[in-house]
Amino acid sequence: MVVDRAEYEHLRLDAEAWRLLNRSPHVAELLAEWIEWVARQDFRQTSSAISAAADWRTVASTPTYTELKRRRSVPVVPRRCAGSGCRVVVSVPYPAPAHDVFCPGCRRATGVAA
């Protein structure tokens, strides 16, 4: 690539001006703040895009590993719902709880309380 003398002189003067500008502590502080601002803006936009894409109701309703471990530690006995016409089999903790267990199919008490 060939650069004529006038263009070379213009580039050299421009580089000198940038060097002088970058020596200033005020400019260095402004540039650091600007870089931080751009990074935060990018993070905010990315976070907003992820939040908009995720269905947080599904994420929030997912049980944690601790909850799954607790559920597995309780033995269950399958029982047929006592509701008329309901064919849902309900897993009831053993021994049966003192309160009614509600059927997820018909939303009525299954009548399997102890």
Side-chain angles (χ1 to χ4, degrees), residues 1-79:
M1 178 173 160
V2 178
V3 178
D4 63 348
R5 183 72 179 166
E7 190 173 353
Y8 171 77
E9 200 59 35
H10 179 71
L11 289 171
R12 189 182 66 75
L13 291 173
D14 195 31
E16 279 184 32
W18 274 107
R19 273 191 226 107
L20 285 173
L21 188 64
N22 285 333
R23 283 187 196 144
S24 168
H26 302 294
V27 172
E29 184 180 343
L30 286 173
L31 285 174
E33 287 178 6
W34 180 77
I35 290 169
E36 179 68 23
W37 180 82
V38 168
R40 287 180 184 213
Q41 182 184 24
D42 289 346
F43 178 75
R44 185 178 66 246
Q45 289 173 348
T46 303
S47 179
S48 296
I50 290 171
S51 295
D55 182 6
W56 290 107
R57 289 171 298 195
T58 303
V59 174
S61 66
T62 304
T64 62
Y65 287 115
T66 307
E67 174 64 18
L68 291 174
K69 183 178 178 182
R70 185 194 64 76
R71 289 180 190 179
R72 282 193 305 269
S73 68
V74 177
V76 293
V77 177
R79 304 251 177 109

